[in-house]
Amino acid sequence: MRRFPEVPVLLAALAAPLLPPPYSAVALLALGALWMSRRPPQREVAVVGLSLLVAAGALAGQALLRPRPDAPAETWRREAGGGYARLWRELERDARAAAAALPETFAAAAADPDAQLEAF
């Protein structure tokens, strides 16, 4: 029986992430199925199969989380702007809560360098 050429499959798997997002994950899964059709040893199946599933999942996740290329720039700006506005509101709320939680010792320490050293 002729030995299966594993080098071209490995090179194709390394090049798969260069494909557009949905096709890269599909290509990795297809290459994994092609490789496993040759019935490699169980140890290799476990390691390579798990690695291919993680890589294909990461590529599929990237495709799902990436901004839609067909969306107009104004729509994307509005969606992103809303997210950033929520983030800044939360940061400001947390900063106010942290400032209110500081003991008055720190306020006095800011005016006097000796008190500042004593506070810490």
Side-chain angles (χ1 to χ4, degrees):
M1 185 165 152
R2 201 170 139 218
R3 179 145 171 84
F4 181 67
E6 293 177 351
V7 173
V9 174
L10 175 63
L11 292 175
L14 289 174
L18 300 175
L19 292 172
Y23 304 114
S24 57
V26 173
L28 273 181
L29 292 175
L31 288 168
L34 176 68
W35 180 75
M36 288 187 191
S37 70
R38 301 298 294 182
R39 305 221 183 263
Q42 287 297 329
R43 288 184 317 233
E44 291 179 16
V45 169
V47 172
V48 173
L50 183 61
S51 300
L52 283 174
L53 284 176
V54 168
L59 289 169
Q62 176 192 15
L64 292 174
L65 295 176
R66 149 181 311 207
R68 297 182 313 267
D70 58 341
E74 186 57 40
T75 304
W76 185 85
R77 274 191 217 108
R78 191 174 340 112
E79 290 174 2
Y84 284 121
R86 279 191 304 278
L87 173 67
W88 280 109
R89 281 194 301 271
E90 290 175 16
L91 288 173
E92 286 175 359
R93 186 189 67 227
D94 293 345
R96 281 192 207 100
L102 287 175
E104 291 185 19
T105 309
F106 290 109
D112 182 21
D114 293 331
Q116 192 175 22
L117 287 175
E118 194 172 308
F120 288 102

